[in-house]
Amino acid sequence: MTIKKVTASTPAPGVPYYTPAQDPPVGTALDPRADVPTLFTPLTLRGMTLQNRFAVSPMCMYSADDGHLTDFHVVHLGAFALRGAALTIVEATAVTPNGRISPEDSGLWTDSQIAPLKRVVDFVHSQGHKIGVQLAHAGRKASTLSLWHLQTLGPVATPAHGGWPDDLWAPSAIAWDADHPTPNEMTVAQIDELVQRFADAAHRAVQAGVDTIEIHGAHGYLITQFLSPITNHRTDAYGGTFANRTRLLLAIIRAIRAVIPARMPLLLRLSATEWMEHTHTDPQSLSSSSSWDLPQTIQLAALLPDLGVDLLDVSSGGNNPRQQIAVHPYYQVDLAAAIRAAVRAPGGKGGPLAIGAVGMIRDAAMARDVVAQTASVEGEHGLTAKADLVLVGRQFLREPEFVLRAAAELGVAVKLPLQYERAPLRKAQRL
């Protein structure tokens, strides 16, 4: 890589204000000839190249104005790109008003929501990094209150608080829990409408200039509800068999792929298991279709490359309050590793599907090990990657400079923000 000399007079392109161009982008390894961990090597998905393997996981902020992003989101999301995150994914963004998790969620159901998103996109691009948006519908888990209201008002957003508890969509009329409203079973016409709404939102995201789109099929929201036989009791073409329960998701993938540029990567977040295996009557058969589980996720993952999905973002749970999770630092990373191994096994049908890992990635060593390739690099020799990308959520909230701290901890010289070069981060220090 040839590093250009950048002067203070070189403006970043694409923004209506002066900010210096960061060339190369912050978080880029300065000497690619050196043995650097895979964590600080580029990753290319279709026409999008990331300078390192860090991505900001979508995180609800409950701070949008009728689905419109605000200045808060410019500051919140821009902080990660400024400090070296190669990819920032905007929080779950509803494709319909009734698909929001809370009344303050982000949305892309109307054209007026394009410009506020573009402000965030333009700032991230001014830092030389990439940005995506996660498109979602919350289904029966919609119309809830923000986290800080739970203790005083309870979980459900009533009409008095801007909610819509009588207008929840789900595959079947099964409430999330006793203190939640019963959703309406979707008609086939509503399912067709939903697919079109995902495509329309994806088109708006392209107009806003995003680099990638992620479909939210995890955490017990609407797509998960269709995948799981626990929440999907339909007897039509969208319920029963694996093919029927995945039909909606596959239709959404095809609809989005048809309206986004060929060079734009498409990501999918799934709950690899809903952690309800303890309900299976046959302990020898974890793919008995009594719940959504890892074997079915692997079966689905094999279909994704031919549909145009480039990365599977592996999460878990969220579809049933009675889930049982044995939590440990790698409890979700191990799911990602199992899927990656399966789709890349000799004779496997997974094709060139990249895998993202998320959950409890809190320090440099763990982030390094998750994506470490077999190589003769100190600390990596003999290791096989569990994933190709690390998606970090809460640790970025604790430390927006997590990328720079990880570089310092691992002894990797990386590009710093021009404005912050006078204060390089040392090992065990914070910015």
Side-chain angles (χ1 to χ4, degrees), residues 290-353:
S290 57
S291 69
W292 184 261
D293 53 25
L294 180 60
Q296 290 175 88
T297 299
I298 291 172
Q299 184 180 352
L300 176 58
L303 307 176
L304 298 179
D306 288 343
L307 292 166
V309 175
D310 301 284
L311 181 140
L312 180 61
D313 174 1
V314 180
S315 190
S316 69
N319 197 41
N320 197 295
R322 285 161 287 282
Q323 64 188 14
Q324 292 184 7
I325 307 175
V327 176
H328 58 87
Y330 281 83
Y331 83 100
Q332 291 190 139
V333 172
D334 287 346
L335 296 171
I339 296 167
R340 191 176 189 273
V343 299
R344 299 192 181 204
K349 300 178 181 179
L353 181 68

Side-chain angles (χ1 to χ4, degrees), residues 276-290 293 295:
M276 293 294 287
E277 288 87 350
H278 62 280
T279 66
H280 293 179
T281 56
D282 180 2
Q284 301 303 313
S285 179
L286 292 186
S287 57
S288 60
S289 293
S290 57
D293 53 25

Side-chain angles (χ1 to χ4, degrees), residues 229-253:
I230 293 177
T231 44
N232 184 347
H233 293 182
R234 301 177 73 96
T235 57
D236 62 4
Y238 292 93
T241 66
F242 173 87
N244 284 357
R245 286 181 283 111
T246 59
R247 189 179 305 276
L248 171 62
L249 172 57
L250 270 55
I252 290 171
I253 293 171

Side-chain angles (χ1 to χ4, degrees), residues 81-265:
L82 176 64
R83 293 166 173 83
L87 173 63
T88 300
I89 305 178
V90 178
E91 64 189 77
T93 297
V95 301
T96 66
N98 76 342
R100 289 170 291 171
I101 303 166
S102 81
E104 294 79 31
D105 275 15
S106 171
L108 267 180
W109 66 77
T110 186
D111 287 352
S112 63
Q113 293 159 342
I114 297 172
L117 173 60
K118 189 175 187 301
R119 286 192 66 216
V120 180
V121 169
D122 288 348
F123 180 80
V124 172
H125 285 167
S126 77
Q127 304 306 301
H129 285 307
K130 308 301 183 185
I131 184 166
V133 62
Q134 184 187 67
L135 299 182
H137 193 292
R140 69 176 185 167
K141 294 179 74 175
S143 192
T144 60
L145 288 168
S146 55
L147 297 177
W148 51 86
H149 285 131
L150 294 182
Q151 295 297 321
T152 56
L153 298 176
V156 179
T158 66
H161 297 101
W164 52 97
D166 295 330
D167 187 28
L168 303 185
W169 284 357
S172 302
I174 302 170
W176 159 254
D177 210 351
D179 57 353
H180 284 68
T182 299
N184 301 304
E185 181 172 313
M186 294 178 71
T187 66
V188 172
Q190 287 171 330
I191 292 173
D192 292 341
E193 176 190 351
L194 178 73
V195 174
Q196 185 60 50
R197 291 294 197 105
F198 267 94
D200 292 345
H203 178 65
R204 292 186 182 101
V206 172
Q207 290 179 282
V210 302
D211 302 288
T212 186
I213 288 170
E214 178 170 89
I215 300 169
H216 197 351
H219 302 167
Y221 299 124
L222 186 59
I223 291 174
T224 308
Q225 294 160 30
F226 269 87
L227 295 176
S228 170
I230 293 177
T231 44
N232 184 347
H233 293 182
R234 301 177 73 96
T235 57
D236 62 4
Y238 292 93
T241 66
F242 173 87
N244 284 357
R245 286 181 283 111
T246 59
R247 189 179 305 276
L248 171 62
L249 172 57
L250 270 55
I252 290 171
I253 293 171
R254 294 188 182 101
I256 291 178
R257 190 75 262 176
V259 300
I260 65 176
R263 288 178 57 78
M264 178 180 285

